[in-house]
Amino acid sequence: MAETKTDQRADAALYTFDRSVELFERATKVIPCGIYGHHSPAIRTPGATPYYFQRGQGSRIWDVDGNEYVDWICAYGPMLVGYNHPKVEAAAAAQREKGDCLSGPSPLMVELAERLVQMTPFADWFVFAKNGSDMTTWAVQVARAHTGRNKILMAQGAYHGKDPWCTPGHAGLVPGDREDMLSFRYNDLAGIRQLADRHRGKIAAVILTPYHFTNWQDSEMPVEAFWQGLRKLCDDEGIVLILDDVRTCFRLHMGGSGEYFGVKPDLSAYCKAIANGYALSACGGRQELKTAASKVFLTGSYWFSAVPMAAAMATLDEMEACDGIARIYELGTTLCNALTEAAASHGLQLACTGHPSMPMVKFAGDDDMYRTQVWCAEVTRRGAYVHPHHNWFVSTAHTQEDIKRTLDAAEPAFAVVKERFGS
Amino acid sequence: MAETKTDQRADAALYTFDRSVELFERATKVIPCGIYGHHSPAIRTPGATPYYFQRGQGSRIWDVDGNEYVDWICAYGPMLVGYNHPKVEAAAAAQREKGDCLSGPSPLMVELAERLVQMTPFADWFVFAKNGSDMTTWAVQVARAHTGRNKILMAQGAYHGKDPWCTPGHAGLVPGDREDMLSFRYNDLAGIRQLADRHRGKIAAVILTPYHFTNWQDSEMPVEAFWQGLRKLCDDEGIVLILDDVRTCFRLHMGGSGEYFGVKPDLSAYCKAIANGYALSACGGRQELKTAASKVFLTGSYWFSAVPMAAAMATLDEMEACDGIARIYELGTTLCNALTEAAASHGLQLACTGHPSMPMVKFAGDDDMYRTQVWCAEVTRRGAYVHPHHNWFVSTAHTQEDIKRTLDAAEPAFAVVKERFGS
């Protein structure tokens, strides 16, 4: 790791992204948007961020211009125990030597399902896929098959994947994609109850994330008794409660994020952190839903590949061995507190919202995001990769030294914001 | 490789699948259906096939009971140049050492898109995802965004993925999922023209596979001038022509399977063989569709992972270096001819349909599939893994020795069929 005193750097020493920009220009010729989806420069600050990376190790990433960063994005969630983690890679390599994508599953598929069932209080079974969307969409279908009802309730602004019923995009949709979708404001149990009354006997499921995280906004934790009230409402009305744990799984609780909030869903979708970056998603469910789950077709070319399942087993091992949940909670809390204090010392008010293991970090009341954008750009070019519009992620590979380095980058960045915006 | 004279074996020496059955019984407790999708025992012959595999090398796989097979299923397509191919694995390992799923794409994403554009006559751009379904569904959305129309035409019985608009399953669907779908009989250009007349100005796209392959049936090649007539019809009516090349890509033609049939689609979905088993799918398109493609949201947690892209580059290298297309065509032709002749010598008529690199193999006129099921079971327990209901796949790793071993297994299996069914 380069020992650079980022806070004392001259402007000339700040990171630049020439090679990233060059590659992006080439990309736009042969890839629509150049880079799309949640990696898209469109949701970042143009020119203030690297676009392409060449290496990851532990908590650090290196972009194509050779700049090194403490990475607080963690591949947007998948990296949980550190890039290139020796135990995860050893488990993956041992399995790869035998076989990955074969003409049928490996025994690991059974072992991983057994393990997840054993560690997940609500779940009696699991299935596996590749994308989070594979599992949220399938869960919705399972709920429909189970209840014989069509309507689905989701929170306004919630992200549940790329599929037509829920994509945040607007192009290419037809009315049929969403004619059975109803929406409510997260945390508004009374609003959900009104919908349940109005559409009694027609609602198959409510799908929602453990807490509410949307780009460009503060994250919102569930209000007191929200989950318990929702659970009761679903029980009373015969509605399937689907937890979208795709982004949150194994960062809040090893038994599923419902456990963190004291609620047991009927179905829960997992992805991202489950295999430390190896492509795997999963959905767990209660016994009552197993017949319906057996009826809804699901498949994919690489879904039974053994290496990601070996990586998942090793990732779960490592999380258990290092008490990962407590560790990233503590690291995230320390980071958020330190940043908030540093901001305050400049007369600035930083708001870290959501769970500390994946905090949304922005300036309080910064609705147009300008101050947050400028600050994140200044932090990034000083060696900590952070995002102005998306929540950050903490891993067990992060260290106090990483936090210190991030603060070293944040300090002069706060000064820039103070100077440019006054508050 | 065990040197077993499979054709001279006593019945006691035939493969058994006890450990597979044991694992499957455990699986059914924690996984709906135990094994689902295209791997499901439901589409195979119960008890007559291994369920779990522990190793793959070249053209061979080993099941959990230790039985070795010449594998004519090739992971249902992904395996193209041999399991654990040294060059593909070396490229993957070199990239893995640097990084796989990072906080942004690697330069490989640009290089792979540039290479695919360069080698694909119709395509000006590519995007990448994980499932074939990701790309067929997205292509349909792009066609709708481009045309401002809603209706989609597909062939009866065609498989385009697991998503609600096209899944072969029936549970969990709502009317909206398919209210804009219309279907025609493959090869029936007049039928397509009638639909185009009836729904003029409302049809966004026709989606279809290069030729027609459906489980349980003979594959059907396009009739003379079908593709050219369809291309003209689409041009005349402003309909987007989507090729679903998910199963066929890089087995018929390196420039996309449209080239094999002399047609240029507007969009084409790739998956399976593209990275020799590493999880990757892609969609290529014409310049005219790029704006619409930029508007339709697409993303996934692991879509920019670099290792599968490195594996894809190496797979394409290897296919070019060994003239892979010609090689698997030849191997497939030799296999099909040899099996057909061997069947004839028993007074049986085998029908190998579809492209020789992925033939559908069944007895002619065996509509109830009984003879094919018995024969495949007998072949499988003698050391060649084959499927009675799904097309087989040929790879560049297969050898004349593999064909010989398969014939050695097939011979006594034909005798069993002859004895049991008479013809």
Side-chain angles (χ1 to χ4, degrees):
Chain A
M1 168 195 345
E3 283 297 323
T4 42
K5 282 273 185 185
T6 43
D7 51 344
Q8 291 167 13
R9 270 192 201 165
D11 265 9
L14 296 179
Y15 290 179
T16 53
F17 314 111
D18 300 347
R19 175 100 179 99
S20 265
V21 170
E22 251 175 68
L23 271 166
F24 184 69
E25 279 169 11
R26 275 169 59 189
T28 56
K29 295 194 177 72
V30 290
I31 302 171
C33 297
I35 299 173
Y36 45 86
H38 61 280
H39 289 277
S40 168
I43 74 156
R44 293 181 289 177
T45 315
T49 185
Y51 295 158
Y52 293 89
F53 294 93
Q54 58 184 357
R55 192 154 86 85
Q57 182 63 45
S59 60
R60 304 293 173 100
I61 47 172
W62 286 260
D63 71 16
V64 288
D65 286 280
N67 303 311
E68 177 184 344
Y69 305 85
V70 175
D71 181 16
W72 294 109
I73 302 306
C74 296
Y76 293 85
M79 192 279 269
L80 180 63
V81 297
Y83 292 113
N84 204 15
H85 187 280
K87 287 182 191 164
V88 175
E89 294 309 314
Q95 182 57 47
R96 190 179 304 114
E97 185 63 27
K98 293 191 274 181
D100 185 16
C101 183
L102 299 172
S103 288
S106 85
L108 269 172
M109 179 173 171
V110 186
E111 290 160 23
L112 182 57
E114 287 174 342
R115 179 171 188 170
L116 288 170
V117 164
Q118 193 271 324
M119 63 192 277
T120 313
F122 86 88
D124 299 301
W125 53 261
F126 272 83
V127 295
F128 302 101
K130 283 285 160 254
N131 301 318
S133 297
D134 295 333
M135 301 282 68
T136 53
T137 296
W138 182 76
V140 160
Q141 289 179 267
V142 170
R144 285 171 167 162
H146 178 69
T147 58
R149 305 171 180 178
N150 292 352
K151 295 205 180 294
I152 305 293
L153 268 62
M154 66 176 274
Q156 287 150 23
Y159 179 73
H160 296 300
K162 63 165 175 62
D163 288 336
W165 65 274
C166 62
T167 171
H170 299 286
L173 300 179
V174 292
D177 290 330
R178 300 192 176 181
E179 68 192 13
D180 287 307
M181 298 302 303
L182 300 166
S183 73
F184 58 87
R185 197 166 50 70
Y186 199 97
N187 266 332
D188 179 14
L189 191 57
I192 300 175
R193 194 164 283 135
Q194 276 177 9
L195 288 172
D197 287 344
R198 194 176 316 144
H199 301 279
R200 177 152 295 139
K202 292 181 180 163
I203 300 173
V206 181
I207 182 168
L208 65 189
T209 50
Y211 67 91
H212 195 50
F213 37 79
T214 51
N215 291 347
W216 297 286
Q217 286 173 35
D218 289 338
S219 291
E220 192 182 342
M221 296 304 268
V223 295
E224 172 95 28
F226 171 72
W227 273 112
Q228 290 67 35
L230 182 58
R231 176 70 271 182
K232 184 173 183 318
L233 172 69
C234 288
D235 289 340
D236 292 347
E237 301 286 345
I239 294 169
V240 175
L241 180 53
I242 305 173
L243 186 68
D244 177 350
D245 210 1
V246 166
R247 197 185 297 187
T248 35
C249 68
F250 306 116
R251 276 196 166 84
L252 273 61
H253 195 291
M254 292 300 285
S257 302
E259 290 299 300
Y260 184 83
F261 293 111
V263 66
K264 294 198 173 11
D266 299 309
L267 295 169
S268 186
Y270 291 59
C271 189
K272 291 193 177 272
I274 193 172
N276 203 47
Y278 281 86
L280 188 70
S281 62
C283 183
R286 290 173 57 219
Q287 190 63 36
E288 288 81 347
L289 278 293
K290 198 174 173 193
T291 302
S294 302
K295 289 181 186 163
V296 180
F297 188 76
L298 78 161
T299 204
S301 296
Y302 320 106
W303 288 14
F304 291 174
S305 292
V307 168
M309 297 187 189
M313 294 291 260
T315 301
L316 296 175
D317 285 347
E318 177 60 18
M319 284 297 286
E320 286 168 4
C322 77
D323 196 7
I325 295 289
R327 186 177 166 79
I328 60 177
Y329 182 94
E330 223 176 274
L331 282 162
T333 303
T334 304
L335 174 70
C336 289
N337 288 346
L339 287 174
T340 305
E341 278 169 35
S345 76
H346 288 266
L348 298 167
Q349 198 186 343
L350 204 67
C352 298
T353 55
H355 191 275
S357 72
M358 34 184 286
M360 180 72 187
V361 180
K362 61 189 278 289
F363 288 99
D366 187 30
D367 294 338
D368 59 18
M369 306 294 285
Y370 290 163
R371 286 176 300 170
T372 306
Q373 286 168 3
V374 166
W375 180 72
C376 284
E378 295 296 325
V379 173
T380 296
R381 66 210 288 228
R382 285 175 174 84
Y385 189 54
V386 296
H387 203 303
H389 304 144
H390 192 287
N391 70 272
W392 304 1
F393 294 89
V394 182
S395 79
T396 64
H398 283 100
T399 62
Q400 296 299 331
E401 165 60 27
D402 288 331
I403 294 176
K404 186 182 172 306
R405 180 165 165 155
T406 304
L407 282 169
D408 287 347
E411 272 290 345
F414 284 130
V416 170
V417 169
K418 180 72 182 178
E419 190 183 317
R420 194 167 317 170
F421 295 90
S423 67
Chain B
M1 168 196 344
E3 284 296 323
T4 43
K5 282 271 185 185
T6 45
D7 50 343
Q8 291 166 13
R9 270 190 200 165
D11 266 9
L14 296 179
Y15 290 179
T16 54
F17 314 111
D18 300 347
R19 176 99 179 100
S20 265
V21 170
E22 252 175 68
L23 271 166
F24 184 67
E25 279 169 11
R26 275 170 59 190
T28 56
K29 295 193 176 72
V30 291
I31 301 171
C33 298
I35 300 173
Y36 45 85
H38 61 280
H39 289 277
S40 169
I43 73 156
R44 292 181 289 176
T45 313
T49 185
Y51 296 158
Y52 294 90
F53 294 92
Q54 59 184 356
R55 193 153 87 83
Q57 182 63 46
S59 61
R60 303 294 171 101
I61 47 172
W62 286 259
D63 72 15
V64 288
D65 286 279
N67 303 311
E68 177 184 345
Y69 304 84
V70 175
D71 182 15
W72 294 109
I73 304 306
C74 296
Y76 292 85
M79 191 279 269
L80 179 64
V81 296
Y83 293 113
N84 204 16
H85 188 281
K87 288 183 192 162
V88 175
E89 294 310 313
Q95 181 57 47
R96 190 180 303 114
E97 186 63 28
K98 294 191 273 181
D100 185 16
C101 183
L102 298 171
S103 288
S106 84
L108 268 172
M109 180 173 169
V110 186
E111 291 159 23
L112 182 57
E114 286 173 342
R115 179 172 187 169
L116 287 169
V117 164
Q118 193 271 324
M119 64 194 276
T120 313
F122 85 89
D124 298 301
W125 53 261
F126 272 84
V127 295
F128 302 102
K130 284 284 160 255
N131 301 319
S133 297
D134 295 334
M135 301 282 67
T136 52
T137 297
W138 181 77
V140 161
Q141 289 179 266
V142 170
R144 284 170 167 163
H146 178 69
T147 58
R149 306 171 180 178
N150 293 351
K151 296 206 180 293
I152 305 293
L153 267 61
M154 66 176 272
Q156 289 150 22
Y159 178 73
H160 295 300
K162 63 166 175 62
D163 288 337
W165 65 273
C166 61
T167 170
H170 299 287
L173 300 179
V174 293
D177 290 330
R178 299 191 176 183
E179 68 192 13
D180 287 307
M181 298 302 303
L182 300 166
S183 74
F184 57 88
R185 197 167 51 70
Y186 199 96
N187 265 332
D188 179 15
L189 191 58
I192 301 174
R193 192 164 283 134
Q194 275 177 10
L195 288 171
D197 287 344
R198 195 176 316 145
H199 302 279
R200 176 151 297 137
K202 292 181 179 163
I203 300 172
V206 181
I207 181 168
L208 65 187
T209 51
Y211 66 91
H212 195 50
F213 37 78
T214 52
N215 291 346
W216 298 287
Q217 285 172 36
D218 288 339
S219 291
E220 193 182 341
M221 297 305 268
V223 294
E224 172 94 29
F226 171 71
W227 273 112
Q228 290 67 33
L230 183 58
R231 177 70 271 180
K232 181 171 187 316
L233 173 69
C234 288
D235 288 340
D236 291 346
E237 301 287 345
I239 294 169
V240 175
L241 180 53
I242 304 173
L243 186 67
D244 177 350
D245 210 1
V246 165
R247 197 185 296 187
T248 34
C249 67
F250 307 116
R251 276 197 166 83
L252 272 61
H253 197 290
M254 294 301 285
S257 302
E259 289 299 300
Y260 184 82
F261 293 110
V263 66
K264 295 199 171 12
D266 299 309
L267 295 169
S268 187
Y270 290 60
C271 188
K272 291 193 176 270
I274 192 172
N276 204 45
Y278 281 86
L280 188 69
S281 62
C283 183
R286 290 173 58 219
Q287 189 64 34
E288 289 79 349
L289 278 294
K290 199 174 174 192
T291 302
S294 302
K295 289 182 185 164
V296 180
F297 188 75
L298 80 161
T299 203
S301 296
Y302 320 106
W303 288 13
F304 291 174
S305 292
V307 168
M309 296 184 189
M313 294 290 260
T315 302
L316 297 176
D317 284 347
E318 177 60 17
M319 284 296 286
E320 286 168 4
C322 77
D323 196 7
I325 296 289
R327 186 176 166 78
I328 60 176
Y329 182 93
E330 223 176 275
L331 282 162
T333 303
T334 305
L335 174 71
C336 290
N337 289 346
L339 287 174
T340 305
E341 278 168 36
S345 77
H346 288 266
L348 298 167
Q349 197 185 343
L350 203 66
C352 299
T353 55
H355 192 275
S357 72
M358 35 184 287
M360 180 73 186
V361 180
K362 62 189 278 290
F363 288 98
D366 187 29
D367 294 339
D368 59 19
M369 305 294 283
Y370 290 162
R371 286 177 299 171
T372 307
Q373 287 168 3
V374 166
W375 180 71
C376 284
E378 295 296 325
V379 173
T380 297
R381 65 212 288 227
R382 286 175 173 84
Y385 190 54
V386 296
H387 203 305
H389 304 145
H390 192 287
N391 71 271
W392 304 2
F393 293 90
V394 181
S395 79
T396 64
H398 283 100
T399 61
Q400 296 297 332
E401 165 61 27
D402 289 331
I403 293 176
K404 186 182 172 310
R405 181 166 165 154
T406 304
L407 282 169
D408 287 347
E411 272 289 345
F414 284 130
V416 170
V417 169
K418 181 71 182 177
E419 191 183 318
R420 195 168 314 171
F421 296 89
S423 67

